[in-house]
Amino acid sequence: MASTKLLRQALAELEDALPAYVEAHRFYTGTFVEPFQSLVMQRLLMSKEVNYKAVLSAVPVDAVVEKLEIVDIQTDDEDVTQSLQGVWKANQMQFVHKSAIRAAEKFGDAYIFVWPEYSEQDGEIEPVLTGFATAYQSPTKTRVFYDDVNPARKTHAVKRLKVGKKERAWLYLADGTIELYETPDDKCGIEDFVYVEDIENPTGGIPFIHLRNDLPYGRPLHEKAYGPQNQITKFIVNEISGSDFNAFPQRYALAKARGSSGGDDIDWSGLDDTVPDDDQDSPVSSLVSGPGRIWDLSGFDAVGQFNSADVDQYLKPIAKAVELMAVATGTPIYYFTAESVGGGTPSGESIRQRDARLNTKAAWHQQHLDAGFEEMLYMLAELLYDGTEGLSISIKWKPIEYVSDTEKLELIGRKIDLGIPVAVAFAEGGYDEDTVREWTSGQPNEAELLRRVTLLNTLGDAMQKLGTASALGLDMSNVNELVTELLGDISGLRERGDDDGAPAIRAVS
């Protein structure tokens, strides 16, 4: 039985959410309309069809998106890991996931559509799974709905799309049912959709992954930047629009009584009455600048011009509006200034302190996004393999906090010196497991050998002191056992064959 009523309710909610998404997109791309308090000024400036906007409202979004990037996917099953990584690369998710994250921060919501692809060949009893399609879906055309009692449970989803002269809508139900609806030609109202047919759903559920920065639905990350952006636009447009007047200020002439003759009060206005024609019938002004020329302005007591507006009247409010945007969005002020691309950019500990609030926000959003991508990977694993219960999936993100390569390596070195395993230290530093395994498998490299020599020298000094303690009669039985273990750890890495033939790391005692 068709769920027409549910479809229409879902489409109505999709339409209700659309204006907020459109506004978010406009303030990100700079296609928003400048607000005017005066209809006269609106007609005057908008008729010129010029664009003087400086779009800073996109900065809070980009500042967070730059910190959110998936660098590796791992599971506790090597076969599943290889399969998931293969799907990830085949669908260019290393690029798509960044676009989806940007959309999730720009709109507050974004969706990834997961759909298995099969091939049917003669003689096959069942279709063969050949791959997956994982694609970004805009929240302006797609929406997922949740249970009021359990907000974590999806109840249904809807997707709306214009196809030729028709509109199509798909209603996805939690039990795996997909209902297709269409409108007649050239009709697009919600009431115009009629049921067409059910569509087979190989996923068995709702194939949309919801990426969001809040629950149950997100909000545009730059929403609080709308007001300051309008202020900035207003100040810039007013200043630039008046720049012609500032370059050519309004002049005036004061007269108590105009004389009937003498002098020249004709000036070039750009109109036909002051521009000589071919017959030289139009009057020509004699007010021409040049060496030895004198202007005769008989009949006027004084002349002058109005002062241009002080440019600080515009620049100072713009700077204040930028500060308000930075405070409202929790984005460091230097992200909005030229310092962000020049030598004035803070570095090291300074940048970590300034970015503390931004990093906290990025980490919170990363948790929401991580849950969405993890759901997608579990869905793929369940479609690829039977019996994935207990499977553990780990998504590794690029470190949010900025650390230079030098600082990163120094930190890794300190961890290794404290006894943390080399592989663990490099993994915590953001390096993927394949690279770490390649670095740490087999015989130690020169840097590792140098470290061990240093440890041996330190141990030699300690042994001399322990010898003195032994001469004083102290019990050295436990110390001898500890020294033997340390020598085994320092002696090096030795390749040994595991069950799968791959080299592994172990201490040689």
Side-chain angles (χ1 to χ4, degrees), residues 9-23:
Q9 291 175 348
L11 290 175
E13 290 194 37
L14 178 62
E15 285 192 353
D16 291 341
L18 184 59
Y21 293 141
V22 171
E23 185 180 34

Side-chain angles (χ1 to χ4, degrees), residues 160 162 165-167 183-189 192-193:
R160 184 175 182 175
K162 186 173 181 61
K165 296 182 178 181
K166 296 182 178 181
E167 290 257 0
T183 65
D185 290 350
D186 299 323
K187 289 188 177 181
C188 57
D192 297 322
F193 283 93

Side-chain angles (χ1 to χ4, degrees), residues 116-132:
E117 298 176 337
Y118 294 88
S119 66
E120 297 184 6
Q121 299 179 4
D122 295 338
E124 293 179 348
I125 300 177
E126 295 182 355
V128 177
L129 179 64
T130 58
F132 290 89

Side-chain angles (χ1 to χ4, degrees), residues 359-484:
N359 290 340
T360 300
K361 178 170 61 177
W364 174 247
H365 288 194
Q366 186 186 89
Q367 293 182 38
H368 284 290
L369 296 168
D370 186 87
F373 284 110
E374 186 177 279
E375 179 188 353
M376 182 191 76
L377 294 173
Y378 273 112
M379 179 185 294
L380 292 171
E382 290 174 1
L383 293 170
L384 283 167
Y385 297 93
D386 294 328
T388 57
E389 295 81 3
L391 178 69
S392 176
I393 296 179
S394 174
I395 300 175
K396 293 191 176 181
W397 296 77
K398 180 183 73 173
I400 289 178
E401 187 176 19
Y402 171 79
V403 179
S404 66
D405 289 339
T406 300
E407 293 174 311
K408 184 189 299 184
L409 292 174
E410 288 179 354
L411 180 60
I412 292 174
R414 294 194 192 102
K415 289 182 178 181
I416 295 175
D417 290 340
L418 290 173
I420 297 177
V422 176
V424 175
F426 275 101
E428 291 178 350
Y431 294 93
D432 63 90
E433 290 194 6
D434 290 339
T435 302
V436 174
R437 189 181 301 112
E438 182 179 352
W439 288 349
T440 57
S441 61
Q443 297 300 322
N445 55 31
E446 294 181 3
E448 178 64 13
L449 289 173
L450 179 61
R451 188 181 71 86
R452 293 174 191 176
V453 170
T454 303
L455 288 175
L456 284 172
N457 291 334
T458 304
L459 182 60
D461 294 337
M463 291 295 293
Q464 292 181 357
K465 297 177 181 178
L466 289 173
T468 303
S470 176
L472 295 175
L474 295 179
D475 183 6
M476 303 299 294
S477 58
N478 292 333
V479 175
N480 291 333
E481 182 179 354
L482 176 60
V483 170
T484 301

Side-chain angles (χ1 to χ4, degrees), residues 249-255 267 297 300-307:
Q250 178 64 51
R251 293 166 293 177
Y252 61 83
L254 301 177
D267 199 0
L297 297 174
F300 293 103
D301 291 333
V303 295
Q305 68 181 26
F306 294 103
N307 292 330

Side-chain angles (χ1 to χ4, degrees), residues 247-314:
F248 304 98
Q250 178 64 51
R251 293 166 293 177
Y252 61 83
L254 301 177
K256 293 181 180 178
R258 291 292 300 272
S260 58
S261 63
D264 186 353
D265 60 357
I266 301 173
D267 199 0
W268 295 96
S269 66
L271 302 178
D272 291 341
D273 58 346
T274 60
V275 178
D277 55 24
D278 294 339
D279 299 331
Q280 301 295 322
D281 292 334
S282 299
V284 178
S285 174
S286 63
L287 303 182
V288 179
S289 298
R293 290 186 176 273
I294 299 177
W295 286 9
D296 183 3
L297 297 174
S298 301
F300 293 103
D301 291 333
V303 295
Q305 68 181 26
F306 294 103
N307 292 330
S308 301
D310 185 358
V311 71
D312 283 346
Q313 294 179 4
Y314 300 100

Side-chain angles (χ1 to χ4, degrees), residues 115-153:
W115 195 256
E117 298 176 337
Y118 294 88
S119 66
E120 297 184 6
Q121 299 179 4
D122 295 338
E124 293 179 348
I125 300 177
E126 295 182 355
V128 177
L129 179 64
T130 58
F132 290 89
T134 56
Y136 159 71
Q137 303 288 301
S138 170
T140 61
K141 297 179 175 64
T142 307
R143 192 167 182 84
V144 171
F145 301 88
Y146 298 90
D147 192 311
D148 293 335
V149 178
N150 181 11
R153 188 177 74 85

